[in-house]
Amino acid sequence: METQELKNKADRMNPEHREGPVARTIEEYTAKLPSDLFLWAALGSMAVSATLKIMKKDDEALFVGQWPAPFLLLGLYNKLVKVEGHDKKDRGR
């Protein structure tokens, strides 16, 4: 019963399932960025990480080596925003 109450409360909070103003603004700006940017950022960070590893800077290499996945996820988000846009109800504005 508690799960149903939680679902009902969530439905009442945003019944139209619309994005908020912050998400809408972020999507407007990120849609302007080329998708290649995120791919090159990921590849570049892999190259920097490998270079740091060769230079025996293991901590820095591990730190930079964690960047490719977030860059690729941001690129995926960017692509989705370009294909789907934000709320379909907002497209008429």
Side-chain angles (χ1 to χ4, degrees), residues 7 10-20 24 86-90:
K7 287 179 182 178
D11 287 341
R12 286 192 303 271
M13 288 183 71
N14 190 2
E16 297 176 355
H17 306 281
R18 299 181 86 180
E19 292 291 349
R24 191 176 309 116
H86 44 82
D87 297 331
K88 292 179 181 179
K89 293 180 181 179
D90 289 343

Side-chain angles (χ1 to χ4, degrees), residues 27-28 30-31 76-86:
E27 288 176 2
E28 287 174 10
T30 58
L76 191 60
Y77 175 79
N78 182 39
K79 191 59 135 179
L80 284 171
V81 167
K82 287 180 178 182
V83 172
E84 292 294 322
H86 44 82

Side-chain angles (χ1 to χ4, degrees), residues 11-63:
D11 287 341
R12 286 192 303 271
M13 288 183 71
N14 190 2
E16 297 176 355
H17 306 281
R18 299 181 86 180
E19 292 291 349
V22 174
R24 191 176 309 116
T25 302
I26 290 170
E27 288 176 2
E28 287 174 10
Y29 284 104
T30 58
K32 295 176 185 176
L33 297 173
S35 298
D36 289 2
L37 174 75
F38 298 100
L39 179 60
W40 286 111
L43 292 173
S45 61
M46 285 186 254
V48 169
S49 177
T51 302
L52 288 168
K53 186 70 172 169
I54 291 168
M55 295 170 58
K56 305 286 189 212
K57 296 185 177 191
D58 292 341
D59 290 339
E60 291 87 348
L62 286 173
F63 177 68

